[in-house]
């Protein structure tokens, strides 16, 4: 199974683009009634930033009154370790688990830790991301990119490195911010892809530039805004949300490939709120979230 790949430009890539009208609300009336009786759903997620996680939760509750979303945002590896600890204790707290590290789901299925469920709304996302897991234990609910992000008050687009290879130039020493693959699934996917493209020597050379290592890829947004570093391997989505608030950030899609990272979600086996979990999975694949 191919879990990630490189592409050359955002314009060639649609993130959860909907191909047809959303299923009518009455399609989920019975499920929504059962979910409302459960009253809440707990979501462990590495998708999006904290603000957007909150907005998604609020939108779900607005659409389905009486069902509260407990959204716990953390980096992919932290969320995964929390889930494993819950499962080891025989007391899963999460109803839905979302991560930017697709390999985690393979292991969870192997350990019977996910419930098979076929969301009806999966038929409405672009075909490339349908049936990601043929057995139906997890489904693509987000797709992210890793590209070159930068502070446009500190450096112009004309002067930024245009490829990942160009980032190795010694002139960028002490000017780069990166997330940590030990915490961030997106950074892990970026690391694996760059290693396949250029070998581990790439990172040996990159370390010579003394990059500032943060935990989450989203932390690079804060670092760039502060001017502490001027370049990053960042997530265009969180970067451009910051730009929309008036911050001096821009994105460049490197000519040797922006890195696409698939983010699945699945329902935890033995979930306390199984019907709310199924309804929330439908919501994550709906036009409301997309």
């Amino acid at each position: 199974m191919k879990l990630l790949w490189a592409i050359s430009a955002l314009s060639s890539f649609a993130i959860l683009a909907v191909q047809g009208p959303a299923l009518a609300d009455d399609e989920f009336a019975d499920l929504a009634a059962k979910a409302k009786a459960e009253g809440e759903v707990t979501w462990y997620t590495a998708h999006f930033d904290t603000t957007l996680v909150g907005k998604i939760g609020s939108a779900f509750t607005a659409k389905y009154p009486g069902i509260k979303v407990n959204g716990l945002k953390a980096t992919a590896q932290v969320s995964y370790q929390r889930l494993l600890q819950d499962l080891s204790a025989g007391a899963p707290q999460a109803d839905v688990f979302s991560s930017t590290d697709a390999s985690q789901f393979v292991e969870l299925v192997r350990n019977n830790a996910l419930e098979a469920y076929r969301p009806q709304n999966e038929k409405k996302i672009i075909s490339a991301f349908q049936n990601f897991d043929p057995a139906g234990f997890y489904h693509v609910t987000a797709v992210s990119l890793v590209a070159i992000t930068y502070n446009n008050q500190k450096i112009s687009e004309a002067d930024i490195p245009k490829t990942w290879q160009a980032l190795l130039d010694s002139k960028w020493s002490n000017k780069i911010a990166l997330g940590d693959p030990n915490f961030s699934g997106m950074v892990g996917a970026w690391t694996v892809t760059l290693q396949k493209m250029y070998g581990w020597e790439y990172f040996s050379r990159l370390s010579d530039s003394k990059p500032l290592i943060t935990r989450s890829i989203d932390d690079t947004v804060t670092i760039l805004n502060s001017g502490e570093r001027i370049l990053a391997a960042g997530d265009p989505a969180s970067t451009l949300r910051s730009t929309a608030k008036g911050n001096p950030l821009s994105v460049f899609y490197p000519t040797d490939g922006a890195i696409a990272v698939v983010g699945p979600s699945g329902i935890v086996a033995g979930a306390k709120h199984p019907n709310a979990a199924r309804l929330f999975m439908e919501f994550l694949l709906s036009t409301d979230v997309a």
Side-chain angles (χ1 to χ4, degrees), residues 21 24 102 123 126 136 179-180 183 190 198 203 209 223 225 236 241 259-260 269 275 289:
K123 300 173 184 176
I126 61 174
D180 189 336
F183 292 93
W190 173 78
Y198 300 123
F203 295 99
S209 293
I223 299 300
N225 277 330
R241 283 196 293 274
I259 310 305
N275 292 298
V289 173

Side-chain angles (χ1 to χ4, degrees), residues 203-218:
F203 295 99
S204 297
R205 294 177 60 191
L206 187 62
S207 68
D208 293 338
S209 293
K210 300 179 176 61
L212 176 62
I213 308 296
T214 66
R215 291 182 66 163
S216 170
I217 195 170
D218 290 334

Side-chain angles (χ1 to χ4, degrees), residues 155-227:
I155 184 173
S156 69
E157 182 175 341
D159 295 328
I160 64 168
K162 302 302 192 295
T163 66
W164 296 117
Q165 287 278 55
L167 206 60
L168 298 176
D169 193 303
S170 60
K171 67 183 178 181
W172 307 124
S173 182
N174 293 300
K175 296 179 179 179
I176 300 168
L178 303 171
D180 189 336
N182 291 303
F183 292 93
S184 169
M186 288 185 65
V187 178
W190 173 78
T191 302
V192 170
T193 304
L194 268 290
Q195 191 274 332
K196 289 180 178 179
M197 292 169 66
Y198 300 123
W200 192 252
E201 180 188 2
Y202 179 88
F203 295 99
S204 297
R205 294 177 60 191
L206 187 62
S207 68
D208 293 338
S209 293
K210 300 179 176 61
L212 176 62
I213 308 296
T214 66
R215 291 182 66 163
S216 170
I217 195 170
D218 290 334
D219 292 339
T220 62
V221 173
T222 303
I223 299 300
L224 292 181
N225 277 330
S226 71

Side-chain angles (χ1 to χ4, degrees), residues 36-248:
K36 186 173 181 179
E38 294 171 350
E40 61 183 312
V41 60
T42 297
W43 179 31
Y44 285 6
T45 180
H47 294 175
F48 320 118
D49 55 26
T50 301
T51 300
L52 193 51
V53 167
K55 287 182 178 180
I56 290 171
S58 296
F60 179 82
T61 301
K63 186 167 186 174
Y64 301 107
I67 310 174
K68 176 185 176 183
V69 177
N70 306 308
L72 283 78
K73 157 68 179 178
T75 57
Q77 306 308 334
V78 170
S79 287
Y80 185 55
Q81 290 303 316
R82 177 184 291 156
L83 177 63
L84 292 182
Q85 289 172 3
D86 293 347
L87 293 171
S88 178
Q93 301 301 307
D95 300 301
V96 175
F97 175 69
S98 302
S99 181
T100 50
D101 184 344
S103 68
Q104 294 170 349
F105 292 84
V106 177
E107 189 64 20
L108 289 171
V109 171
R110 185 178 294 122
N111 290 308
N112 300 312
L114 296 179
E115 172 193 299
Y117 178 67
R118 296 280 185 184
Q120 295 180 59
N121 274 338
E122 188 179 36
K123 300 173 184 176
K124 301 301 179 181
I125 66 173
I126 61 174
S127 59
F129 300 120
Q130 293 180 23
N131 202 37
F132 187 67
D133 171 34
F137 286 99
Y138 49 93
H139 309 272
V140 178
T141 52
V143 180
S144 305
L145 294 174
V146 183
I148 293 173
T149 55
Y150 61 100
N151 184 315
N152 57 39
Q153 289 185 343
K154 302 291 184 179
I155 184 173
S156 69
E157 182 175 341
D159 295 328
I160 64 168
K162 302 302 192 295
T163 66
W164 296 117
Q165 287 278 55
L167 206 60
L168 298 176
D169 193 303
S170 60
K171 67 183 178 181
W172 307 124
S173 182
N174 293 300
K175 296 179 179 179
I176 300 168
L178 303 171
D180 189 336
N182 291 303
F183 292 93
S184 169
M186 288 185 65
V187 178
W190 173 78
T191 302
V192 170
T193 304
L194 268 290
Q195 191 274 332
K196 289 180 178 179
M197 292 169 66
Y198 300 123
W200 192 252
E201 180 188 2
Y202 179 88
F203 295 99
S204 297
R205 294 177 60 191
L206 187 62
S207 68
D208 293 338
S209 293
K210 300 179 176 61
L212 176 62
I213 308 296
T214 66
R215 291 182 66 163
S216 170
I217 195 170
D218 290 334
D219 292 339
T220 62
V221 173
T222 303
I223 299 300
L224 292 181
N225 277 330
S226 71
E228 185 176 358
R229 297 296 165 103
I230 63 174
L231 292 165
D235 177 359
S238 56
T239 301
L240 293 174
R241 283 196 293 274
S242 182
T243 302
K245 297 176 183 177
N247 292 311

